[in-house]
Amino acid sequence: EVQLVESGGGLVQPGGSLRLSCAASEFSLSGYWMSWVRRAPGKGLEWVANINPDGSDQYYVDSVKGRFTISRDNAKNSLYLQMSSLRAEDTAVYYCARAFNGMDVWGQGTTVTVSS
Amino acid sequence: DIVMTQTPLSSPVTLGQPASISCRSSQSLVHSDGTTYLSWLQQRPGQPPRLLIYTVSNRFSGVPDRFSGSGAGTDFTLKISRVEAEDVGVYYCMQATQFRYTFGQGTKLEIK
């Protein structure tokens, strides 16, 4: 079964850092654009970042630009989101998704809580 | 960035009755390749989002045929022909015409 599994979420203090991982199975990540999407408590879905298949192009929502970095390791079939200078408003469930036909495959999500 | 505006934001519906959600984009979603990258997703409580419709009107694998999408340019609609209990959740339109994707605010579908 085609699957994405996120990990790396947790509780972090404001100003701290966290690295999220997303492992793909039953398909090769190398053929696809990939995305990170988040949903903050009580809010809707927000696209966070995209990366092209070879990792040479990345795009970010303005609110995370300069603080978050999306990357990938196609050899490990994995996607990453390095988050730094975290703020309370970054608290959310973070999903990785395959950006094909919109977003056709989603992980279950990993929760990031930014609080002192 | 393209702004996606959904209406209504909340939709109480009677079981077995139709439901409709509108989505309007701040600029045309027709890509330079001629494709309109507008999709619809459903998020049930406690679950990740799920793709329902892609490129305006194509139903994703496993999606019941009571779901349909239509529209062009900047105006799009998701219709559910007969709402079932399992359809409760939040529905989002999303554009992928530009590299910086954007979602609508979400429409909460509830049963009356």
Side-chain angles (χ1 to χ4, degrees), chain A residues 33 35 37 39 43-47 50 59-62 65 95 99-104 106-109, chain B residues 1 39 41 43 46-51 53-55 60 90 92 94 96 98-105:
Chain A
W33 282 76
S35 299
V37 175
R39 186 174 185 187
K43 299 205 170 180
L45 295 175
E46 180 182 41
W47 168 79
N50 278 350
Y59 300 87
Y60 300 93
V61 67
D62 283 349
K65 214 177 286 185
Y95 300 97
F100 184 72
N101 283 335
M103 290 183 185
D104 68 338
W106 291 74
Q108 287 295 314
Chain B
D1 289 353
S39 55
L41 301 104
Q43 189 169 28
Q47 294 192 14
R50 165 198 180 200
L51 179 65
I53 303 286
Y54 62 95
T55 52
F60 189 56
V90 183
Y92 298 90
M94 187 199 82
Q98 291 187 348
F99 289 128
R100 292 159 58 94
Y101 295 1
T102 43
F103 289 93
Q105 317 97 301

Side-chain angles (χ1 to χ4, degrees), chain B residues 32-91:
Chain B
S32 57
D33 67 6
T35 303
T36 300
Y37 293 100
L38 183 282
S39 55
W40 290 94
L41 301 104
Q42 174 197 61
Q43 189 169 28
R44 293 170 172 151
Q47 294 192 14
R50 165 198 180 200
L51 179 65
L52 297 176
I53 303 286
Y54 62 95
T55 52
V56 181
S57 58
N58 294 283
R59 204 175 302 113
F60 189 56
S61 174
V63 174
D65 60 8
R66 64 179 182 275
F67 290 93
S68 64
S70 63
T74 61
D75 287 286
F76 307 93
T77 303
L78 175 71
K79 290 183 179 175
I80 309 174
S81 58
R82 295 172 306 279
V83 170
E84 298 188 5
E86 65 178 16
D87 299 336
V88 165
V90 183
Y91 291 78

